[in-house]
Amino acid sequence: MKKELEIGGKKFERKGHTYIMGILNVTPDSFSDGGSYITIDKALKHAEQMIREGADIIDIGGESTRPGYTLLSDEEEISRVVPAIEAVKKEFDIPVSVDTYKSGVARAAIDAGADLVNDIWGLKYDPALAQVIGDANLPCCLMHNRKSPEYDRFIEDCLDDLKETLKLAQAGGIKEENIILDPGVGFGKTYEHNLLVMKHLDAFNRLGYPVLLGTSRKSLIGLTLDLPANERVEGTIATTVMGVMAGMSFVRVHDVEANRRAIQMTEAILKVREE
């Protein structure tokens, strides 16, 4: 496998540095920023801010995936994400990811210029999605998820589930070098399961792919600190630091600048040479 992953014409080292995926939700009902960026003007201003603060990728989502979210039609989701993707790609020189698990939405997003598909169901929701990604020869982030949080050996079961996802990717023609994995904090897991994922992040490196950690403002932090979504920056930073120490290649966050500073500080400590 190549040392670098290419996303939207940009090179990303597979190991040795943690990159930032900035979250741009063009949804009225996301758990922490729903309705904030639903106009193109507001979406572009937020994208510009995240880029200025150090985002390496902008991840655009048109359907909330918070607990109890409303499933959207392909047409509704496309009407939200495609204009945002087109606008960000026109205005800025940065890779853009589309956060969707539906093949129809992914196809429209790719046509609009999306450089990566970020699938919260690890290719297990829509059987056609792997083929769409494979045919486009694009990178993808494939997340661990389950319909119910029932496990025998939690970490091993998560890894086995991701191995099933990798088989689906191979069957769809997705190249190994185009795959990023995500342990799926907050999806198909109890509070204790999410803490265990954080404790055993290094286990997810066993599969040999770059790993993305997505914890930003999630209920794991809210329940631990008893804080609302807009007061979870410090808790998110703690998980980001643990992610850097465990060798995560990406973090997906709302608060780009704070997390970038935490990454920079952590990496400086990890990389200092002993006298």
Side-chain angles (χ1 to χ4, degrees):
M1 206 180 291
K2 296 177 182 176
K3 287 185 178 180
E4 294 176 327
L5 174 68
E6 187 170 321
I7 308 172
K10 307 284 185 183
K11 304 281 189 181
F12 293 81
E13 295 287 334
R14 292 179 184 278
K15 294 291 177 186
H17 176 58
T18 303
Y19 297 93
I20 294 176
M21 178 183 279
I23 299 168
L24 180 57
N25 287 320
V26 288
T27 57
D29 57 346
S30 287
F31 77 95
S32 73
D33 57 2
S36 298
Y37 314 114
I38 54 176
T39 69
I40 291 298
D41 185 50
K42 287 181 178 178
L44 283 174
K45 283 182 179 176
H46 190 54
E48 183 178 29
Q49 178 189 348
M50 290 193 291
I51 292 165
R52 188 171 61 248
E53 292 179 353
D56 300 291
I57 302 171
I58 301 295
D59 187 48
I60 296 176
E63 178 182 86
S64 172
T65 52
R66 77 192 196 289
Y69 68 93
T70 302
L71 187 69
L72 293 182
S73 67
D74 283 16
E75 292 73 24
E76 177 68 19
E77 192 173 342
I78 288 167
S79 74
R80 294 178 182 182
V81 298
V82 162
I85 292 167
E86 289 175 341
V88 172
K89 290 298 293 184
K90 181 181 178 183
E91 292 293 322
F92 307 110
D93 180 24
I94 191 167
V96 169
S97 166
V98 61
D99 182 3
T100 189
Y101 50 90
K102 302 168 189 167
S103 59
V105 177
R107 193 177 292 111
I110 291 166
D111 289 344
D115 304 297
L116 181 148
V117 177
N118 183 16
D119 174 16
I120 65 164
W121 279 105
L123 305 176
K124 294 179 181 180
Y125 178 90
D126 184 340
L129 182 56
Q131 192 75 48
V132 169
I133 299 168
D135 288 350
N137 193 26
L138 282 189
C140 56
C141 182
L142 307 175
M143 195 181 83
H144 175 267
N145 205 341
R146 276 194 182 190
K147 290 181 179 177
S148 61
E150 297 167 13
Y151 302 87
D152 294 320
R153 304 168 304 147
F154 175 63
I155 293 294
E156 293 304 320
D157 286 353
C158 288
L159 293 175
D160 287 344
D161 288 351
L162 285 171
K163 288 174 185 174
E164 292 174 3
T165 284
L166 290 169
K167 288 179 181 175
L168 293 171
Q170 183 181 25
I174 299 173
K175 295 178 181 176
E176 277 199 328
E177 65 198 45
N178 279 339
I179 295 172
I180 301 164
L181 297 177
D182 178 343
V185 169
F187 290 83
K189 300 170 185 68
T190 64
Y191 170 69
E192 288 76 16
H193 288 149
N194 290 318
L195 289 172
L196 284 169
V197 169
M198 288 305 309
K199 190 172 183 177
H200 297 285
L201 282 176
D202 58 324
F204 292 89
N205 290 321
R206 286 187 219 159
L207 298 174
Y209 297 84
V211 181
L212 177 146
L213 178 64
T215 59
S216 187
R217 302 185 186 176
K218 285 185 177 177
S219 61
L220 163 69
I221 296 159
L223 291 169
T224 301
L225 303 179
D226 190 23
L227 290 172
N230 63 349
E231 295 182 27
R232 298 175 187 174
V233 179
E234 298 91 346
T236 299
I237 288 170
T239 61
T240 290
V241 169
M242 293 188 73
V244 175
M245 295 179 74
M248 302 291 97
S249 298
F250 299 88
V251 289
R252 181 180 179 274
V253 299
H254 298 85
D255 305 286
V256 172
E257 186 169 67
N259 283 277
R260 180 188 56 75
R261 290 173 176 172
I263 290 168
Q264 187 176 344
M265 190 69 235
T266 308
E267 289 185 343
I269 295 167
L270 292 176
K271 291 176 180 179
V272 68
R273 293 185 179 179
E274 303 284 352
E275 294 295 334

